Structures are given as structure tokens and as C-alpha cells.
Amino acid sequence: MNRSDLYSLTPLLILSSAAILNFFSISIKRNHKVIFAITVLSLIGDFIFLTSYSLYHQQHIDPLLVVDGFGIFNIGLILLTTLVVALMSYAYFEQREERKEEYYILLILAALGACIMVISKHFVSFFLGLEVLSVSLYSLIAYLRTRERSDEAGIKYLILAAFSSAFLLFGMSLIYATTGKMDFGGIGYYLTTTQDIPLIMMAGLGMLIVGAGFKLGVVPFHMWTPDVYEGAPTPVTAFIATVSKGGMIALLVRFFNAINGYQYESFTNLFTVLSIASMFVGNILALRQTNLKRILAYSSISHIGYLLVAFLSGGSMGAQATTFYLVAYFITTLGAFGIIATLSDQHRDAELIDDYRGLLWRRPLTAVAFSAMLLSLAGIPLTAGFIAKFYVITAGIGTQHWLLVFCLVVNSVIGLYYYIKIIAVMFDQKLQIKSAKELHPLVYVISSVTIAVLAVFLFWLGVSPEGMLSLIDDVI
Amino acid sequence: MVNTEFLISLVPLFPLLGFLIVALNVRRLSHGVTAFIACGAILLSFITSVVLFTKLLSAPEAERSITVTLYQWFAAGSFSANISFLLDPLSSLFLLIITGVGFLIHVYSIGYMHDDKGFNRFFSYLNLFVFFMLLLVMGSNYLLMFVGWEGVGLCSYLLIGFWFKNQNYNDAANKAFIMNRVGDLGLLIGIVLIAWKFGSISYPDVFANALQNSEALKSHGILITWITMLLFVGAMGKSAQIPLYTWLPDAMAGPTPVSALIHAATMVTAGIYMIARNNVLYAMAPATLTVVMIVGLATAIFAATIALKQNDIKKVLAYSTVSQLGLMFLALGLGAFTAGIFHMATHAFFKALLFLGAGSVIHALGNEQDIRNMGGLKKYLPVTYMTFLIGVLAISGIPPFAGFFSKDEILANAFAQNKIVWVLAVGASLLTAFYMFRLFFLTFFGKERASHEKMHHIHESPKSILIPLIVLAILSLAGGFMGVPEVLHGSHWLSHYLAPVFASSTQFLAHHDHLSHATEYALMGGIVGATIILIIFAYSRYAKNNHVPATDETTTGLQRVLMNKYYIDELYNAIIVKPLYHISAVFEAFIERLGIDKLVNASGSFVVWGSRTARLLQNGSIGYYIFIMVIGIVLILVANNLK
């Protein structure tokens, strides 16, 4: 490893150091504010450092990693998302857990795992990143030990993730058995030189898809999603919905481009089925839910279905649509969960639709921001979600995926129904007075500003998406 | 002189600013200030629209289409979407109506909503609505139109729900929502198809492309038929045509000015606008035009028969709106685009007048809406009575009121093309005259049936309510003169004005010989005569003999079917709403709730868990999760190896 390698890996090193620094700080004195400050500052510092890279930066750290524009962009996205999650965590944990400091260490480590995933070009680094992310998530999900559904969710995630990891590893070994390679490039080269792909190889790739499908929560590997979304602390749910899924999508894009997976009809057919099933199952199940976190869980299942449409389109248009969709989805999801987190009190999360009845009259700005988030999820014009969906449709049409585009449009229409239902509840007249323990006003300011910034981004991307689009265009 | 481009972008800007100012200070502003800002914003828009209109008139005919591009919204692949506005005769006419009628309704709302707690909120929604409506008609591409389309839908949803407090409303709103979803679905797919086929979503590009390839498009008629049909599905939803009309009568739950503005004068005409805008595409798809015609005609008759037996003053007006919209679609389907737009314009005047008049009655009687509890109001509400009479005469098509000219033009076109269509359309038109006068006589004539307490409090409405009524009455009286046909020695100014918009589509439409003047006179005379006979019949039945519709329980047979609106609501509930919920329930039962216990019973011991795990895992459903995953895995592996 030489100096330029080290330079390219600095963002990861900063994250690791931040985790270690937090350890030291805890061993000296437990102080929520200090840990929070270290976490936030190191994430911000890391992001600022990241912006010093050129977008055309290309550094191979053979054989495991490649730091290129796409990777840098995704690392940036992960860092900012983690920052937002950390910001919304302070108020949330301040009123709940006694031992809240370790939470930040786990959060940073989970982000580190996701960062490794998005720059890996080798099965070993892929698996390493995935496990760092997953192991952190097990404990993050069950972090609020005293809550009823918390450890249940943690254990469920643990068992199912272990189950899928086993398949992932098995798939990797089958591929290694055929090709003798574990780096994406080598596997791609093998595939170009072979006419008839052996059965074992196909089985291996299929198992890989199982592992990835679990992380993404696509049907039929989606079963954990509602339980975990509901049981996990709200900021952690936001993290799972964004970073954990986004990291896997970025990795899939890289892997599929490397092996040129789009040329194999059996793969595209497979993803088509997964995508359509996810859209329909997610949306239809969301229709009758009364628990907001479960609604968002099912909605995330269908959103991954939409994302797969862009992913399947392939090419630069597909990659652009995928990335833009991820950005829009990140902003919206963070905003939605951020609002749930700010409205929660120390006993329970504000997760029932009834908690939001008449919200407009109690907290008008929060209600408006939440409406904006929901409208963006529904893909209403002037929000980021609309442009994102429009791009996905364009990418789908460009590659003649008619069935997928048709299903997407039908599902957008179904989906709008339950999003608007929530908005209607917020505009309801009935007042519900709730009293929450008062925290330091600064805490609320942090949460409110975070949400306001997200809402501004949401409209900015919806009204003037050119800047973000050209940035994405540059990194692909 | 300020340049035209700048003025065009000002038109939607004023209501947007009005909305932002009021919405951001919703708690701080006094009612007076809010009313001033909100009405002022629309008035400024109206003045700007008038200036633009005169500019268009003074420009040579070839230059009457101005596009203003503010900036590029985004570019996807090969085509781009701009935020840009299109001003041409068609959109300028809509601008005048939206801002003009909109302004009057704003003024009216000051009086109507004066003691409502949500006064400021109400005005902010109204301004937002006008903004989206302007966007809809001014956008120079399909996407911007879609933005407006969704926006007005959202505002309508908010405004309908303005007063709701009961569960009934919720059910109705849900249903209304699903109706509009179906419509929007069609519109979206249509736009996607256009984007794919023509490689652009801006009107000028698409129409130019379509004209260039007209031969190819017409010879492979399927695609253009699909595109136009899908757009029409969107129009059916927004403009309340069969089978997507049932939401409109339910939308009457909102405050009356909302019914006037949104559900009579502006939003529901969005479908008319869209088809008129796309006249080139529709002209190339004769099959779609036939469908439009049949749907319009069927809706016109169907809704008119329902209106015959309704007893809620706003419901009658709502069904009459559906019926009149049907007539407009009939005109469009006949290829008589000008006639459709003409009727849209006059209808905006007299239907807004009728709704506002109804609001004045409801206001005077302390929120009474049932016409069986009215009667004899003539002497208590003289101004409302006179203006309402003008509105009823206009909608019935009595010369020289506005409705006569526009309806006559539609009927003449129908006669020239198809006699059966003409007979049916005349039937719908006569029904309209009958039920409108039934409503009129039951409300203003005969015995006073309202309770003593209500009659005690009765009072004519304040000026802010009456002035808009008077202005609208003048418009309903005079509005028809913009399109006096040649046979009555007019020049039909409107058809000349709109000619450039519809010029390129005429080549695709079948030509029909002009009717001889004698025939036209005979048709007019016959219809007007029949209408007057019906009015006299209605007078003797409802005003002179004091016939009052029976109570709900005692009606039987066909009357009951009509009163229950052919049970369409119940039908939709049974075939759409309930099944969707059932599917969701089934999914939930099988995928969500089915625990390992049931599974074990069914398929034998599948996975055995330790007792500790089982306790933690809440009836062990995780085994079921894994089971589903395994099924998925097996399927994937099998699929992967099928060649």
C-alpha cells in the first residue's frame, strides 16, 4: 500500500478513528453531548475531505477496492445520510436510554461497512463490508432493550440475515469453484470467454441474488422488513431503509456492470419478476395498515421494486436513474422517519396513524414537511420523487421494458392512495393534545432544522434537478 | 410597454404569491387583510389576462401563439422538459374565465365564509387552486399540464374536506379518490406513450411531429387511438364522465363557493381543455372521437335523469354539471371543438351563477339544502331570485341567454352529422330545462315550507355575495353574444378567434354540409317551443299546485332508482373498493399473519425451534418467514437453470 492508496482510503480511516475516539471518550467519562459532537464533527469533516477528491478520481487498491467517482458519490451519500440519522438520534435517545453513547459507535461502524461495500470490487471486501454493516445493525435494532418488540426485531433480523449470508457465501464459493476468481473483473472476463455457463455458476449467481435480495427486502425476501422497521428505534429504521439498502444497490450496479449481467435473459427475467412482485405486494399490503412505520416498510418494498426497474434498464441512463432515485428516496425516507422520531415521546414511537390526527393544527410546519415527504414518495410533481420516478420510467421506456413500466405506473396510482390517506388524517380537524417531556429547546431546533433542510432539498431537486443530474452524470 | 413574455409569467405568479403570503401567516393575518391579499392576487391576474388578451387581439393572426420558457426543468435522455408557458387563443380564453370567474367567487367567499374559523386557510387553498389551474392551461408541455392536473386534484381534495366531520365523508372521499386515480392512471400512461412515440412532451413538437407523420399514424391507427383513448380516460376522471362521474356529486360536501369554482366553472373543464388542446391528435383518431361522443351523450342523458329526482339543491346542480359536461364532450366528439369550448365558457358563467345563488339561499336559510323545505322565497330574497332566474333561463337554452347559443351550436352540429344523436341530445337538453325549473319553482314559488324559526331569521345576503351574482347574471345574459351564429346574422366572433388553434385538425375531420337556414330556424324554434312547454308544465306542477316530492321512504319503483342515482355508488363500492380491501386482507392473512402453528398443522413439522427461541419470537413466525424465503430461493434456482 502506497501513499496514494492511503490518500484514497482516508474517508474510511476517518470513520474508523471516530469510532475509536468514541470508545476512548466513553472509557474516560460518559457524556452524550461529547460523543454526539465527536460523531457529528467527524462525519462532517469526513464529508468535507471527500469533496477534495476530483470526480474523475480513480484509484485501484488491488485486489479488493476501487475508489472512483461512483464510489465517492455513494460514500458521500452514506456520510450525509448517517449525519442526518445522528442528528435526529440525539433528541430521540436523550429522552430514552441510559446507555446511549455506544449507539454512535455502532452507527459509525455500520456506515463504515456500507462505505466498504460501495467501493468493493471483490467478493472478500464485499462480504467484509456487508458483515460489518450487518453485525452493527443487529445490536442497533435491539438497542432499546427495555422495549417489547425491540429484541424480537433484533433476533429476527439476526436469524434471517445469517440465513441469507449463508446463501451469499455459498453462492460466492460456487462461483469461485467454477471461475477460480473472486474479483468482479475476473468473473466478468471468465463470462466473456465462456459460451455455455455451467450449472454450478448459475446456481452460484442465483444464491448471490438471494443474499442481495434479502438486504434490499425484495419479495419474497421482504418478510423481515415490517417487523424490523416497527421494532427498531426510529433513527435506526431510517438508517436501514436508506444506507443499508442503498449500499447494496450501489454494489449490485457495480457487480452487474462488471460481469455485464444485462446480457443474460435469465437474470433480467428474474429481476423483472422480483421487481413486479415487490411493487404489488408492497403497495397492496400497505393499503390497510394503520401503523405508520409498517406503512413505510411496505412502501420501501415497493420503492425497491421501482428502483429495480431503473437498475434493469442498465446502461448509463439506467445507472443515472438508479442513482437519482436513490438520492430522492434517501432524502424522503430520512425526512419521514425524522418526523416520526421528533414526534415520539419517551414511552413509545409516534407510529400509529391516529397519532397524526390534526397534526396540521398542532405543528403546522411539521405537518407540511411530512406532507411534502409523502407526496414525494408518491411521486407528485414538483418534488424530488416525481423527477426520480420520471427518470425511471424514461429509462424503462428507452430499453423497452413495457411490462415493468406499466406495473410501475399502476403501482404509483395504488400507492398514492395510502400516502394521501395519511395527509388527510393530518388535515383532520380533531385535536389531540399530547404532552411530552420538555427537553432543552436546542434539541428541537436541531431536529427541526434537519427536517427543514431535507424538505428544502426535496423541493429543490423537484424544481431544479439539473445540478444533481449533471453531478450524477459526471460520476458514472 | 412591458413586454408580453413578462406579463405571461406574471399571471400564475400572483396567485402563488397570494397563497404563500396567506399560508405562511395563516394565524397572524386578520380576515380583512387575507381577503384583500387573496382577492387582490386574483384581480391582478385577471387584469394581466385582459391585457394579454387585448395584445393577442391586436396581433396578426399568425402571431397569436407565444411561448415563454422560464428555464429548463430537467432533461431525461433525448428529450427535455421546460418550465414554459404557452399563450394562444385557447389558453387566453381559459385564463379570462379562470381569473374572471375566480375573482368573483373569491369576492363572494368573503361574505359566505365571514364567520368561519378557517377563513384564512380557506383563502390560501383557493389561491393555490387558481395557481394550479392556471398552470394546467398555460403549461406548454404535457408534464406541466400534469403538474396542474394533480395540483388541482389535491386542492379539490383539501377543499372538499374543509368542513368534514363525519365518517360518511371519509367513505365518499375514498371513493372519489379511487375514481380520480383511475383517470390519472390513463392520463399518465397516455403521456408516457406520447413521450415514447414523438420523442418530446412539448405541444408544438408533438403536434408538428404528428402532422408530419399523419399518414403513418392514420394507417396504423392503433397507436394514436390508444394515446387519445388513454388521455380521454384522464378527462373522464377529472371532468366526471361515465363511468368515473360519481365523485362529483359527493364533492358537494365542501363549501358552496368551492362547488362553484372547482366543481362547476374551472377544474371540471380541465378534460375539455385537454382534448381541445390535443385536437390534432384526436382528429387523427376517429374511433376515439366516436367514443368521446358516445360517452358524452350517455353522460348527458344519464345525469339528467338522476337530477330529475334529487332533492338537495346542490346535488341537482352537481348532476346538471355532469350532464352539461357530457354535452361538451359530445361536441368535442363530433369534431366541433369550437362549440365545446363555447359551451364551456357560457356554462362557466351560468353554472357559477347558479351555485352561488344556491349558496345564497343556503346561507339565508341557515344551511338548509333540501328543496322540500324551501318554497316561497321569492319575496324574501329578491336579488337572488332574479339572478337565479337568469341562470336557469340560460342553462335551459332560452334565447337570448348565453346557454341558448352554445347549446344550439352543439345541437346543430349533432343534427348535421347524426339524427339519432341529435334526438338524444335534445332529450337531455329538455330534461335539463325541466329539472332546473322544478328546482327553481320548488325553491322560490309555492308555499313556504321552511320552519318558522328559519323563516324568522331569513335575510337577503350581504353585498359581497350579491355583487358577484349580479355580475355573473349579466355575463349569463350577454355571454352568448361572443358566438352568435351566422344564421342569426352574427359573425361568430369566437370561432374566428379560436380558428388558428383548430386549423390543422380540420383536414382530418369529415366535412358536413351546412344546414340550410330554414332547417336551422325550424330546429331552434322547435326546441325552444318544447322547452317552454316543459317550463309551463313544471310551473303548474310545482309552483301552482304545490306538488312537493315525496319523502325518501315512500318513493317506489323507477323513482326510487333515480333517487338513489341508479345505485351506481353501491355498485362501485361492491366491485372496486371492497375487492381491493379484500385482496389486501387476504394478502395480510396469508403473508402476514399465518403463523408457524398453522403451517405446522398443514405441512407437518417444518422447523422446530427451541423453547427459548419460540418464546422470544412471538409464535415463531420467523420459521414461516424462512419458509417463504426458501420457496423464493428454490424458484430462483429453478428459473436460473431453465434455458
Side-chain angles (χ1 to χ4, degrees):
Chain A
M1 183 175 282
N2 55 33
R3 275 179 67 184
S4 61
D5 285 356
L6 207 59
Y7 170 69
S8 296
L9 286 180
T10 312
L12 303 189
L13 295 178
I14 295 179
L15 277 183
S16 323
S17 331
I20 294 169
L21 197 61
N22 273 345
F23 266 123
F24 287 156
S25 165
I26 291 172
S27 63
I28 296 167
K29 188 173 188 314
R30 281 186 176 276
N31 187 329
H32 191 190
K33 287 194 192 69
V34 172
I35 302 286
F36 177 70
I38 293 175
T39 309
V40 168
L41 288 179
S42 52
L43 284 169
I44 294 174
D46 204 354
F47 183 75
I48 291 172
F49 182 83
L50 202 68
T51 53
S52 73
Y53 290 133
S54 141
L55 282 176
Y56 305 101
H57 187 91
Q58 181 101 14
Q59 178 79 30
H60 287 270
I61 300 152
D62 284 323
L64 295 180
L65 304 169
V66 54
V67 182
D68 54 2
F70 183 69
I72 292 171
F73 182 86
N74 279 300
I75 291 181
L77 200 58
I78 291 168
L79 289 177
L80 286 183
T81 310
T82 314
L83 178 66
V84 173
V85 171
L87 287 175
M88 70 169 83
S89 302
Y90 184 80
Y92 187 86
F93 282 98
E94 182 63 26
Q95 51 184 343
R96 280 177 188 76
E97 181 67 14
E98 283 162 22
R99 293 170 175 272
K100 39 207 166 238
E101 289 78 12
E102 280 85 353
Y103 167 81
Y104 295 95
I105 300 174
L106 290 167
L107 190 67
I108 291 174
L109 288 176
L112 178 67
C115 289
I116 296 173
M117 273 170 76
V118 299
I119 55 169
S120 56
K121 58 165 186 166
H122 193 278
F123 278 154
V124 168
S125 47
F126 166 25
F127 194 71
L128 180 76
L130 184 71
E131 287 303 297
V132 171
L133 172 64
S134 298
V135 171
S136 313
L137 280 180
Y138 303 149
S139 25
L140 279 174
I141 291 169
Y143 200 80
L144 295 176
R145 293 159 303 164
T146 47
R147 266 211 324 205
E148 193 187 337
R149 281 161 308 175
S150 201
D151 44 6
E152 180 196 325
I155 299 265
K156 269 186 183 164
Y157 190 72
L158 170 71
I159 293 175
L160 294 172
F163 186 74
S164 77
S165 283
F167 273 91
L168 195 67
L169 272 183
F170 192 35
M172 287 176 183
S173 50
L174 286 181
I175 293 172
Y176 180 68
T178 348
T179 62
K181 299 281 182 202
M182 292 194 86
D183 63 311
F184 300 169
I187 297 164
Y189 179 74
Y190 168 84
L191 286 175
T192 53
T193 54
T194 316
Q195 285 301 317
D196 206 21
I197 306 171
L199 211 63
I200 290 186
M201 177 79 182
M202 288 308 276
L205 287 170
M207 288 181 181
L208 219 56
I209 293 173
V210 173
F214 170 80
K215 260 286 175 260
L216 294 176
V218 294
V219 175
F221 312 111
H222 67 288
M223 308 294 291
W224 60 274
T225 329
D227 288 350
V228 169
Y229 271 44
E230 193 186 354
T234 305
V236 177
T237 312
F239 189 84
I240 297 173
T242 52
V243 172
S244 160
K245 292 188 176 180
M248 184 52 95
I249 287 278
L251 184 107
L252 270 186
V253 169
R254 198 187 283 283
F255 180 67
F256 254 62
N257 279 324
I259 69 165
N260 197 6
Y262 300 106
Q263 59 178 322
Y264 303 109
E265 212 170 282
S266 56
F267 282 153
T268 49
N269 286 344
L270 185 59
F271 272 107
T272 306
V273 173
L274 293 182
S275 162
I276 292 176
S278 302
M279 290 190 243
F280 275 104
V281 170
N283 273 323
I284 290 181
L285 276 174
L287 282 182
R288 277 165 56 98
Q289 289 298 326
T290 52
N291 183 312
L292 205 56
K293 281 168 105 178
R294 289 187 90 89
I295 289 181
L296 287 174
Y298 288 119
S299 124
S300 82
I301 294 172
S302 58
H303 276 278
I304 297 296
Y306 304 154
L307 243 172
L308 287 182
V309 177
F311 172 71
L312 271 170
S313 304
S316 70
M317 187 66 206
Q320 201 183 11
T322 311
T323 314
F324 190 86
Y325 202 97
L326 266 188
V327 174
Y329 175 72
F330 271 34
I331 293 175
T332 320
T333 309
L334 283 175
F337 282 111
I339 286 164
I340 296 180
T342 47
L343 293 177
S344 303
D345 58 30
Q346 64 263 48
H347 304 298
R348 50 182 285 277
D349 285 359
E351 55 188 10
L352 295 179
I353 286 195
D354 273 336
D355 295 331
Y356 293 80
R357 198 165 290 283
L359 185 71
L360 185 69
W361 319 117
R362 281 180 282 141
R363 303 182 59 166
L365 286 178
T366 313
V368 168
F370 199 27
S371 307
M373 301 299 165
L374 291 170
L375 291 177
S376 176
L377 281 175
I380 295 283
L382 299 184
T383 60
F386 172 70
I387 306 281
K389 205 172 260 177
F390 192 83
Y391 260 72
V392 171
I393 291 178
T394 317
I397 292 173
T399 47
Q400 317 266 312
H401 286 99
W402 290 110
L403 181 64
L404 281 170
V405 170
F406 179 73
C407 291
L408 199 163
V409 175
V410 169
N411 272 284
S412 307
V413 170
I414 300 178
L416 193 53
Y417 178 72
Y418 57 84
Y419 296 124
I420 299 271
K421 212 164 77 177
I422 304 172
I423 296 180
V425 167
M426 288 196 288
F427 282 63
D428 200 340
Q429 296 274 24
K430 278 171 232 152
L431 292 178
Q432 247 192 12
I433 311 300
K434 270 207 318 186
S435 59
K437 196 177 97 186
E438 285 295 313
L439 295 171
H440 193 277
L442 188 66
V443 172
Y444 296 112
V445 172
I446 292 176
S447 313
S448 311
V449 169
T450 313
I451 288 163
V453 168
L454 287 172
V456 168
F457 265 112
L458 185 83
F459 283 115
W460 181 58
L461 283 187
V463 175
S464 166
E466 279 299 318
M468 179 56 74
L469 286 170
S470 60
L471 176 66
I472 291 173
D473 212 22
D474 283 343
V475 300
I476 288 168
Chain B
M1 211 53 194
V2 200
N3 74 4
T4 318
E5 276 82 6
F6 179 65
L7 283 179
I8 293 176
S9 25
L10 278 186
V11 176
L13 185 69
F14 288 125
L16 180 65
L17 284 179
F19 160 71
L20 288 177
I21 296 172
V22 176
L24 292 178
N25 301 299
V26 84
R27 299 234 175 113
R28 264 159 281 175
L29 293 180
S30 71
H31 288 189
V33 177
T34 301
F36 179 76
I37 294 172
C39 298
I42 307 297
L43 182 63
L44 286 174
S45 268
F46 177 63
I47 294 170
T48 321
S49 307
V50 173
V51 173
L52 286 170
F53 176 69
T54 54
K55 283 197 168 202
L56 273 195
L57 276 186
S58 60
E61 213 163 86
E63 291 166 23
R64 286 185 184 173
S65 172
I66 304 163
T67 310
V68 189
T69 304
L70 295 188
Y71 70 97
Q72 191 184 57
W73 190 5
F74 61 91
S78 57
F79 69 86
S80 61
N82 294 330
I83 302 282
S84 61
F85 300 130
L86 172 69
L87 184 78
D88 68 348
L90 184 63
S91 57
S92 77
L93 190 70
F94 270 88
L95 286 193
L96 287 177
I97 289 171
I98 293 165
T99 54
V101 176
F103 172 67
L104 292 173
I105 292 171
H106 271 68
V107 173
Y108 176 93
S109 307
I110 302 175
Y112 196 83
M113 305 293 292
H114 64 90
D115 47 6
D116 197 284
K117 270 189 296 184
F119 187 87
N120 291 356
R121 195 159 51 91
F122 180 79
F123 273 95
S124 70
Y125 289 167
L126 274 192
N127 265 344
L128 185 67
F129 168 79
V130 172
F131 165 70
F132 278 123
M133 192 65 208
L134 290 173
L135 216 55
L136 196 161
V137 297
M138 289 180 76
S140 78
N141 58 53
Y142 289 94
L143 266 193
L144 218 50
M145 181 191 74
F146 186 70
V147 173
W149 194 273
E150 290 288 323
V152 290
L154 189 69
C155 290
S156 138
Y157 194 72
L158 293 177
L159 283 164
I160 298 169
F162 195 76
W163 279 344
F164 83 86
K165 281 171 191 76
N166 56 21
Q167 185 58 33
N168 265 350
Y169 164 76
N170 247 339
D171 296 347
N174 276 347
K175 186 186 60 192
F177 206 70
I178 293 172
M179 302 267 113
N180 268 298
R181 291 302 86 219
V182 177
D184 291 354
L185 175 66
L187 181 68
L188 252 187
I189 300 180
I191 293 176
V192 166
L193 278 181
I194 287 174
W196 169 70
K197 175 66 197 169
F198 299 106
S200 170
I201 47 166
S202 98
Y203 298 139
D205 295 352
V206 170
F207 299 153
N209 192 324
L211 284 173
Q212 250 173 25
N213 304 314
S214 60
E215 283 311 310
L217 281 175
K218 277 170 77 86
S219 58
H220 307 287
I222 300 283
L223 182 73
I224 192 82
T225 306
W226 267 106
I227 290 177
T228 46
M229 277 303 292
L230 286 164
L231 293 182
F232 180 54
V233 170
M236 284 199 244
K238 199 99 303 167
S239 295
Q241 295 297 293
I242 289 175
L244 304 178
Y245 70 94
T246 59
W247 66 271
L248 186 61
D250 287 312
M252 296 302 139
T256 308
V258 171
S259 312
L261 177 63
I262 298 184
H263 305 121
T266 55
M267 185 181 85
V268 290
T269 60
I272 311 286
Y273 165 78
M274 199 247 302
I275 291 183
R277 175 59 76 202
N278 289 294
N279 62 79
V280 176
L281 302 184
Y282 277 87
M284 289 181 202
T288 315
L289 278 183
T290 312
V291 173
V292 173
M293 183 192 80
I294 292 172
V295 169
L297 185 62
T299 310
I301 297 170
F302 193 71
T305 56
I306 295 178
L308 285 178
K309 279 290 158 199
Q310 294 302 307
N311 295 319
D312 181 317
I313 187 167
K314 284 177 78 179
K315 282 265 161 80
V316 177
L317 291 177
Y319 280 105
S320 104
T321 306
V322 175
S323 168
Q324 296 297 310
L325 287 166
L327 278 183
M328 295 176 214
F329 277 107
L330 167 67
L332 297 176
L334 291 168
F337 298 113
T338 314
I341 296 296
F342 185 22
H343 198 54
M344 183 284 299
T346 57
H347 176 259
F349 299 146
F350 59 68
K351 191 49 69 63
L353 170 63
L354 288 169
F355 262 112
L356 296 185
S360 177
V361 171
I362 295 168
H363 193 75
L365 285 177
N367 291 329
E368 177 61 63
Q369 299 201 8
D370 194 325
I371 49 177
R372 287 171 298 195
N373 300 330
M374 295 179 181
L377 299 178
K378 182 168 66 160
K379 58 174 179 272
Y380 300 100
L381 309 171
V383 183
T384 309
Y385 160 71
M386 275 312 295
T387 50
F388 205 86
L389 175 63
I390 292 174
V392 173
L393 287 171
I395 196 175
S396 306
I398 302 292
F401 296 93
F404 166 71
F405 296 103
S406 53
K407 199 182 274 185
D408 178 69
E409 192 175 333
I410 296 176
L411 294 178
N413 270 297
F415 189 81
Q417 291 194 24
N418 189 328
K419 303 287 182 291
I420 300 170
V421 171
W422 176 77
V423 169
L424 293 171
V426 169
S429 159
L430 292 178
L431 283 177
T432 306
F434 181 73
Y435 67 71
M436 285 311 298
F437 271 96
R438 166 180 176 270
L439 171 75
F440 176 71
F441 289 133
L442 279 173
T443 309
F444 292 101
F445 284 74
K447 282 210 200 85
E448 296 163 14
R449 295 182 298 272
S451 63
H452 279 291
E453 198 199 345
K454 279 186 175 153
M455 291 310 283
H456 184 68
H457 289 294
I458 194 164
H459 57 91
E460 181 62 292
S461 303
K463 278 213 184 62
S464 65
I465 289 187
L466 295 182
I467 291 172
L469 285 181
I470 294 167
V471 176
L472 281 169
I474 295 170
L475 286 171
S476 304
L477 186 61
F481 291 99
M482 63 176 142
V484 179
E486 190 203 340
V487 59
L488 295 176
H489 311 292
S491 62
H492 209 307
W493 169 84
L494 188 71
S495 77
H496 292 296
Y497 181 60
L498 290 175
V501 181
F502 302 129
S504 43
S505 61
T506 41
Q507 52 176 309
F508 303 111
L509 295 168
H511 281 279
H512 297 278
D513 295 330
H514 274 289
L515 301 176
S516 71
H517 284 191
T519 324
E520 287 209 35
Y521 284 131
L523 292 180
M524 278 181 200
I527 296 166
V528 171
T531 310
I532 290 171
I533 292 171
L534 272 175
I535 294 172
I536 294 169
F537 174 62
Y539 177 76
S540 74
R541 185 174 164 89
Y542 294 109
K544 240 173 137 192
N545 297 334
N546 273 314
H547 178 91
V548 178
T551 48
D552 298 351
E553 291 73 29
T554 54
T555 42
T556 48
L558 181 65
Q559 296 203 343
R560 196 172 179 82
V561 174
L562 284 180
M563 201 172 67
N564 285 305
K565 306 160 253 174
Y566 292 102
Y567 294 100
I568 293 290
D569 288 347
E570 288 75 6
L571 185 70
Y572 280 168
N573 205 22
I575 62 172
I576 297 176
V577 181
K578 285 205 175 130
L580 204 59
Y581 269 68
H582 278 308
I583 293 173
S584 189
V586 168
F587 266 50
E588 197 173 316
F590 281 96
I591 299 186
E592 284 280 283
R593 295 275 155 77
L594 192 67
I596 189 74
D597 300 344
K598 292 173 199 161
L599 207 70
V600 168
N601 291 340
S603 62
S605 170
F606 181 68
V607 182
V608 181
W609 295 99
S611 63
R612 191 178 141 68
T613 335
R615 185 180 59 81
L616 277 174
L617 298 180
Q618 183 205 18
N619 81 14
S621 58
I622 193 164
Y624 174 64
Y625 292 5
I626 291 187
F627 178 66
I628 295 285
M629 280 177 73
V630 170
I631 292 177
I633 292 163
V634 171
L635 288 179
I636 283 181
L637 292 183
V638 170
N640 249 3
N641 291 311
L642 287 180
K643 289 285 164 70

